[in-house]
Amino acid sequence: MLDIRTGLKLRLMSLILAVFSVLLSNAAYADMVRLKDIGKFSGWRENALVGYGLVTGLANTGDSPNNKATRQSIANVLAQFDVAVQPDLVLSRNVAAVMITAKLPAVAHQGDTIDVTVTSIGDARSLVGGTLLTAPLKAPNGKVYALAQGALFVGGYKYDLNGNVAQKNHPTVGSVPAGGIVEVAVQARILRPDNTMVFTLSDADFTTSSRIAAAINKAFGETLAKAQDAEGVEIRVPEADREYLVDFVTRIEKLSIEPDTRARVVIDERTGTIVSGGDVRIAKVVVSHGDLKLSIITDNSVSQPILIRNTGAEIRTETVSNSRINVSERSETGYVSASNNTVADLIHALTRIKTNTRDIISILRAVKAAGALRADLIIQ
């Protein structure tokens, strides 16, 4: 009987130790982040494209005849099909002049499709139901990289009749999903002429940059990486890996480190939003907060003469204003004592004494001014 109990105790102890080791392991890797999630290689970026075109098929909601650019564009399109029409004779309101924007990925092959956004540049009332005619999309260097065409998807509407208007969102902005076709292939170049690459951090930090270089060198067993500054890590590509650059980059992106971040408290005064890390510390501080309300009320009354028939220059109706000031102060004052607590603890304590968000923002600014908030206070 004793052996059975001893065996059960040993099994229970081993189970507890196993659970404890798993928890420790999860805690150790809880803050580990892949390099792919905190930065990118220099040269890997999207390319902006822009174009001009016409949207047709609008139900009398297009540009008015006063828009000379639209009339000229319609005449130019018809001239390509051997239809000669003077721009002054074009009176259609079913066409709108638009600007087209799109983003070309860092790597794109001929025939790939991209999404395009269409915006009206004239006085069109709505682009609902319209179709974009074929239009070239150019890069800043003036070269055409894609063609855009297709039916517009507009997430809004606008209808008006006899002075009544019903509108939702912006009906003069639409999109054409997969409406752009890539005509010229592009390939981002991340390998520099000296056979090195630069990994750039999304948030510059010296400690994180140093940890990335150390992790790369440890993974490859040789000194390949060197932290240039707080944002960039220079990586030398071995000669054997230059032919298989994709595999080399994949191995680097899969590495995990624990990034070092600065403590920050972000406040949006317009919406009353406070965002803070859960471990942002506050030094020893005492907060005393009161609530004073002041209101001024004015009552307007009319003084009417008693003898209505006895009128003259000195007898008239007078308006009398009576004003009073009401001052109310909360009887109890909010008192919070913080000793090596976090911002989350302070906000929780202030919430318990029913402090509103605007007052909490003022208190955090005062705590920062007192030098007790050990974090960057960012006010938007």
Side-chain angles (χ1 to χ4, degrees):
M1 188 68 177
L2 292 176
D3 293 339
I4 295 176
R5 290 181 179 178
T6 304
L8 291 175
K9 288 182 179 180
L10 291 175
R11 290 183 180 179
L12 182 60
M13 288 297 295
S14 62
L15 180 61
I16 293 174
L17 289 174
V19 173
F20 187 67
S21 62
V22 171
L23 292 177
L24 286 178
S25 177
N26 291 338
Y29 290 97
D31 296 330
M32 301 297 286
V33 180
R34 295 183 308 170
L35 297 187
K36 189 175 184 177
D37 299 326
I38 59 175
K40 62 180 180 63
F41 286 95
S42 179
W44 188 269
R45 65 177 182 86
E46 294 180 331
N47 304 277
L49 301 179
V50 65
Y52 170 83
L54 292 177
V55 171
T56 62
L58 305 177
N60 203 34
T61 59
D63 294 339
S64 67
N66 296 328
N67 196 317
K68 295 183 179 180
T70 304
R71 291 188 297 173
Q72 182 66 57
S73 299
I74 295 174
N76 293 343
V77 170
L78 294 178
Q80 297 179 15
F81 298 95
D82 300 329
V83 179
V85 178
Q86 295 297 325
D88 295 338
L89 301 178
V90 178
L91 302 176
S92 174
R93 289 218 61 174
N94 296 337
V95 181
V98 295
M99 294 301 296
I100 311 159
T101 58
K103 289 185 177 180
L104 189 65
V107 175
H109 299 89
Q110 189 174 9
D112 290 351
T113 58
I114 56 177
D115 297 337
V116 299
T117 302
V118 179
T119 57
S120 172
I121 60 173
D123 55 358
R125 296 194 298 266
S126 175
L127 299 179
V128 174
T131 299
L132 175 67
L133 298 183
T134 303
L137 300 181
K138 299 181 180 180
N141 59 6
K143 188 176 180 179
V144 176
Y145 282 88
L147 298 177
Q149 177 179 287
L152 263 67
F153 172 77
V154 181
Y157 57 80
K158 180 180 180 180
Y159 303 103
D160 58 278
L161 181 65
N162 298 330
N164 299 316
V165 180
Q167 180 174 337
K168 179 181 179 181
N169 298 333
H170 298 280
T172 54
V173 178
S175 61
V176 184
I181 301 178
V182 177
E183 296 295 328
V184 178
V186 293
Q187 177 70 42
R189 297 184 180 276
I190 61 175
L191 184 63
R192 301 192 296 185
D194 58 351
N195 295 319
T196 61
M197 301 184 301
V198 176
F199 184 84
T200 58
L201 291 168
S202 301
D203 293 323
D205 185 84
F206 285 104
T207 304
T208 304
S209 180
S210 177
R211 289 177 182 176
I212 291 175
I216 294 174
N217 293 334
K218 181 180 179 181
F220 287 90
E222 56 179 316
T223 305
L224 298 179
K226 178 181 66 175
Q228 288 182 325
D229 48 36
E231 187 183 21
V233 178
E234 185 181 72
I235 306 169
R236 177 176 57 85
V237 182
E239 185 177 357
D241 293 315
R242 292 169 193 169
E243 271 189 64
Y244 308 96
L245 188 61
V246 174
D247 297 334
F248 182 76
V249 171
T250 301
R251 292 180 61 186
I252 294 177
E253 289 183 335
K254 290 170 64 175
L255 296 177
S256 298
I257 67 161
E258 183 181 355
D260 192 80
T261 58
R262 294 179 61 89
R264 293 176 181 173
V265 178
V266 181
I267 295 176
D268 190 339
E269 289 189 313
R270 292 170 295 180
T271 60
T273 304
I274 304 173
V275 179
S276 168
D279 56 348
V280 177
R281 310 299 298 182
I282 294 179
K284 293 181 180 180
V285 66
V286 174
V287 178
S288 180
H289 177 67
D291 190 8
L292 177 68
K293 293 183 179 180
L294 173 67
S295 61
I296 301 176
I297 303 175
T298 301
D299 296 327
N300 296 318
S301 60
V302 178
S303 175
Q304 189 75 14
I306 299 177
L307 301 176
I308 303 299
R309 295 180 181 178
N310 187 9
T311 59
E314 302 297 329
I315 301 176
R316 60 184 182 273
T317 301
E318 288 289 341
T319 302
V320 180
S321 299
N322 297 316
S323 300
R324 63 181 185 274
I325 300 176
N326 295 332
V327 179
S328 60
E329 187 172 6
R330 194 167 60 184
S331 57
E332 67 276 2
T333 301
Y335 177 84
V336 175
S337 177
S339 177
N340 292 325
N341 291 333
T342 64
V343 172
D345 296 332
L346 177 61
I347 293 178
H348 180 68
L350 293 173
T351 304
R352 282 189 300 177
I353 62 174
K354 298 181 180 179
T355 307
N356 59 49
T357 306
R358 297 291 179 183
D359 291 339
I360 292 177
I361 292 175
S362 300
I363 291 172
L364 287 175
R365 296 179 67 175
V367 171
K368 177 64 176 179
L373 179 60
R374 295 168 180 170
D376 294 335
L377 187 63
I378 301 174
I379 301 175
Q380 298 179 342

